[in-house]
Amino acid sequence: MQHKSKLPQVGTTIFSVMSALAKEHQAINLSQGFPNFESDKKLMDFVTKAMQSGYNQYAPMPGNTELLKAIANKYEKLYNTSYHPESEITVTAGATQAIYTIISAFVKADDEVIIFTPAYDCYEPAITIHNGKTIPIQLHAPSYCIDWDIVKSKISAKTKMIIINTPHNPSGTVLTKTDLLKLQELTANTDIIVLSDEVYEHIIFDNESHQSICLFPELKKRSFITASFGKTFHNTGWKMGYCCAPKDLMIEFRKVHQFNVFSVNHPMQKGLADYLQEPSRYLELSGFYQEKRDLFLELIKDSRFDFIPAKGTYFQVLDFSKITKENDVEFAKRLTKEHKIAAIPLSVFNENKKDDNMLRFCFAKTDETLKQAAEILNKI
């Protein structure tokens, strides 16, 4: 049988490629974005208790009621804004499912979706599958700042959606209040939907404040927020996330969600609901990861890599232009094979595979792992 692929240009993701290479060569894996330490035992105890208490059948389609209320309370406390737990929040199988479902619900043939590259790699395939057109706007190393004049020039009558990501994966940069105000201005009096990928909202450094899209009233009216418990609570394998949006947008989201996954893991939802009752469990996360970022950068300060300290996420981008003229994919593979350390090349996320000689390293690792990694990088 012969079939025409909907994604003819898509192969195995770079995350799978580099992690497999790291495993093959027994390399330290700082490529894929997951911690190598355990989630809080208290959270696992809450999930275990939920299983033993009978939370083992389908959750309500939008999510466990207690968890929806806990999420709503978080937004009230952190951002002084409200999402109604019954009609404006939905629990999802990770943020990626939320992103895919949002695009499924709204993007039709020939609709244009603006993304900023380097972009997380799930955006464009979802747009393509729904016959939309991706309009990439390239951000430039090392600052990765958005030129809003370029954004203005790319907005047209066909623009259905703009996807932003702050703190930004893979660059570790953050959007400012000025950025969000400019986005609010450019989308005013349009039907453009904004998808704000905020999975690293609790991992932001140097006394910066996360500029959630919900802080801007006119933006909030047209926007989805996607978020991840996996990134926040060190359990990416659980694939637990959620999204928030005004009721009129969430109605359309749930029409697709109910025929996609319908609902997600019930005992984990109950466990998370109980765990979220103590806000310090996410409020202390920035300090926790800033210590790791600072340790990692202090250890490699005398290496031949150049860097600007990440402002958020648990990724640090390193410039290797003083080390080799190889392209970033080949250099990343050679680092893994010969030096036993794996990273992600940024060109794979860029428009036309633009190569800025940048590699992304994940520092969500134990201090011992970071010290071992730094020892290798200092010898390169």
Side-chain angles (χ1 to χ4, degrees), residues 35-93:
N36 70 339
F37 44 82
E38 290 295 326
S39 187
D40 186 354
K41 185 177 182 300
K42 187 68 174 178
L43 174 55
M44 291 188 273
D45 288 344
F46 279 137
V47 171
T48 300
K49 182 180 178 181
M51 291 179 182
Q52 293 171 341
S53 299
Y55 289 85
N56 299 306
Q57 308 307 325
Y58 294 122
M61 183 268 287
N64 172 277
T65 301
E66 293 173 70
L67 180 55
L68 296 175
K69 289 179 179 178
I71 295 168
N73 288 338
K74 189 194 82 166
Y75 279 90
E76 288 181 4
K77 290 176 180 176
L78 283 184
Y79 306 116
N80 195 30
T81 192
S82 62
Y83 286 102
H84 196 285
E86 294 179 6
S87 59
E88 297 185 320
I89 304 171
T90 301
V91 182
T92 60

Side-chain angles (χ1 to χ4, degrees), residues 189 231 337:
N189 302 313
K231 303 295 187 187
K337 294 174 182 178

Side-chain angles (χ1 to χ4, degrees), residues 111-240:
D111 282 344
E112 294 182 351
V113 180
I114 293 173
I115 70 171
F116 299 94
T117 55
Y120 187 59
D121 64 352
C122 79
Y123 303 156
E124 186 169 4
I127 297 163
T128 301
I129 283 174
H130 294 91
N131 296 309
K133 182 179 180 182
T134 301
I135 307 297
I137 296 176
Q138 182 64 47
L139 307 181
H140 298 289
S143 64
Y144 297 99
C145 294
I146 294 175
D147 184 331
W148 292 102
D149 289 333
I150 294 177
V151 179
K152 184 177 181 179
S153 73
K154 297 292 186 180
I155 292 175
S156 72
K158 291 185 175 182
T159 305
K160 183 69 174 184
M161 186 179 293
I162 298 174
I163 302 178
I164 62 172
N165 174 208
T166 186
H168 182 254
N169 175 20
S171 74
T173 56
V174 300
L175 294 184
T176 65
K177 183 177 180 180
T178 300
D179 288 318
L180 274 294
L181 288 172
K182 194 64 180 178
L183 178 60
Q184 184 168 258
E185 175 189 327
L186 291 178
T187 55
N189 302 313
T190 73
D191 293 324
I192 296 171
I193 294 167
V194 176
L195 194 169
S196 186
D197 180 351
E198 302 185 16
V199 300
Y200 298 101
E201 65 173 319
H202 300 302
I203 308 176
I204 192 162
F205 310 133
D206 304 323
N207 297 313
E208 297 274 358
S209 296
H210 172 57
Q211 296 299 311
S212 175
I213 209 153
C214 67
L215 292 169
F216 303 84
E218 292 306 311
L219 273 179
K220 183 184 175 187
K221 291 177 183 177
R222 66 174 70 253
S223 299
F224 280 91
I225 290 173
T226 60
S228 168
F229 290 120
K231 303 295 187 187
T232 302
F233 295 133
H234 323 312
N235 45 39
T236 59
W238 290 11
K239 294 298 293 181
M240 297 293 294

